[in-house]
Amino acid sequence: MDHIRNFCIIAHIDHGKSTLADRLLEYTQTISKRDMQAQLLDNMDLERERGITIKSHAIQMDYLLNGKKYILNLIDTPGHVDFSYEVSRSIAACDGALLIVDSSQGIEAQTISNLYLAIDQGLEIIPILNKIDLPHSMPEEVSDQIVDLIGCERDSILKASGKTGAGVMEILEAIVSRIPSPKGNINAPFKALIFDSVYNSFRGIIAYYRVYDGVIKKGDKVKFVATGKEYLADEVGILRMDMSPRDEVKAGDVGYIISGIKEAREVKVGDTITNALVPTTDIIKGFEDVKPMVFAGIYPVDTEDFEELRESMYKLQLNDASLTFEPETSAALGFGFRCGFLGMLHMEIIQERLEREFGMTVITTVPNVSYHCYTNKGEKLIVNNPFELPEPNFIDRIEEPFISAQIITTTDYVGAIMGLCMGKRGILKTQNYLTTDRVEMKFDMPLAEVVFDFFDKLKSISRGYASFDYHPIGYIEGDLVKLDILLNKDTVDALSAVIHRDRAYDWGKRICEKLKDLIPRHQFEIPVQASIGTKVIARETIRALRKDVTAKCYGGDISRKRKLLEKQKEGKKRMKQVGSVEIPQSAFMAVLKLD
């Protein structure tokens, strides 16, 4: 085990993590020049286009130093805040971490939050200044920030460039010399941590794990502790560019197991695998079920595609176990699914993948969060959909989820960001200056205010200079009401929202005005109303399309014209009773773009 090093890379989005990983693979000759391409570990089209890592990847490299051969296991992690649980499990599987900071941008919020995860796990941190070849890089200033943050020596900070390959050999040497080799007992019962799983349509679910103790051999019977399921290890091996089978994988190594599992829910990230016959008594701590933060309804545009959408969702869940969904029906949209996502980026990616990989065009309703509602009888209801909220006279109180948000920005934008957060019902907790021109602010905010368009607005008012990170802190009671939208006196459930009472009037008025513009005129007049319970708080009217029925009357008595107009009026009245209102897709999306 002395020759094994397990490490991961911590960085904010766009600080050059994937590029540096490419260089490490190239310099250790894990991949030939001919197969080399940019962002090698990001194998999904979506990851390449957006330049982000969505799934974590693992790869083993061989490295020769002073005549000794070392095995380096790189466990790549996603950088985005939505995937922080996956990151925490990847970090738990490592003994050291490369902290990459862009020398032209400095330290950002996600770097700090992932760094704290690594420090909590007791990892050895190697700080690296990346992109030193850029003309506007500031190595001295950013080095000061790193020293302040982790209290390391200035000399221990490595300088590198993922693009040109400068400093990569020093990084490889530092990995061997600074990161400790894995500790474990090869004779103890088998114990391993699952940090990722992927789905293969021929072999089923493939779980990636790091072995702490013991050995796993081909044909062993293994047990997944959290689910209690037992399987035979059909194939075990290590992860090179492709999977490479082995007869056994020993303590300290990172490997994969194929055992014909067909259900994604049976392999949970963070679970412990052990031998079913000689199980370990010491289970790896820190396992949690992934909790969805944002909920939205996904409906097929054509109701006949419901079964096809269900199949697509199941297949997608095999690749992404953090997606949760259950069937629901809506009076306005028909049959669909209520889905839980880790955050807004996760929701966008799922929607993109449904369209690309499965050719499904879907309607997504307004994203919302789950609330705790306490009734007069003392019952606690978990409300994932505004439609499930009871009538106001049965409700004792409603609690909403709060988050602790950490924002790092330059001093020029402090006022604007404070205004934005206060406008979203945020409470400023702390504000401290990291350097003379960089501020860290912490707010407690309702999650419901963040899921809409908070991130976009933050980026636009700070010209992209603010970085944002958050974690949940629990449920807090609030003065919340359910706002219903009625079209032609019928409630449109897909447009209902749970909202703070102070903002309900303004919100209701703006939705009514927006819908008046977006819903096409019908043959009859349509009232658009916003109501809280039975009280209507805003109304707009969509005028009816009228045909000039008196055109054929010229001359003669006025009573002839009146007779025709009365006849038309009767028809309109009947039409209003039986007619249904066609709602275009843009009307559901309009709520998102109210501001």
Side-chain angles (χ1 to χ4, degrees), residues 82-83 290-298 313 316-317 320-328 337-348 350-351 364-365 367-370 384:
D82 286 5
F83 309 111
V290 180
K291 293 182 195 68
M293 302 286 275
V294 176
F295 296 87
I298 288 186
M313 297 287 267
L316 204 52
Q317 196 182 36
D320 183 352
S322 49
L323 167 69
T324 56
F325 63 92
E326 52 190 45
E328 76 165 356
F337 294 97
R338 185 92 201 143
C339 305
F341 308 99
L342 300 176
M344 286 299 274
L345 177 81
H346 188 212
M347 176 175 148
E348 261 180 63
I350 294 290
Q351 210 176 327
T364 314
T365 62
N368 63 331
V369 296
S370 63
N384 290 333

Side-chain angles (χ1 to χ4, degrees), residues 105-107 112 138 140-149 408-411 414 431-440:
Q105 291 182 2
I107 284 171
I112 293 182
M138 314 171 290
E140 294 309 314
E141 291 171 40
V142 180
S143 296
D144 290 341
Q145 291 178 21
I146 294 175
V147 171
D148 290 347
L149 182 67
I408 294 181
T409 181
T410 51
T411 43
V414 171
Q431 177 181 356
N432 55 42
Y433 284 78
L434 303 171
T435 62
T436 49
D437 62 342
R438 284 174 77 77
V439 191
E440 176 195 37

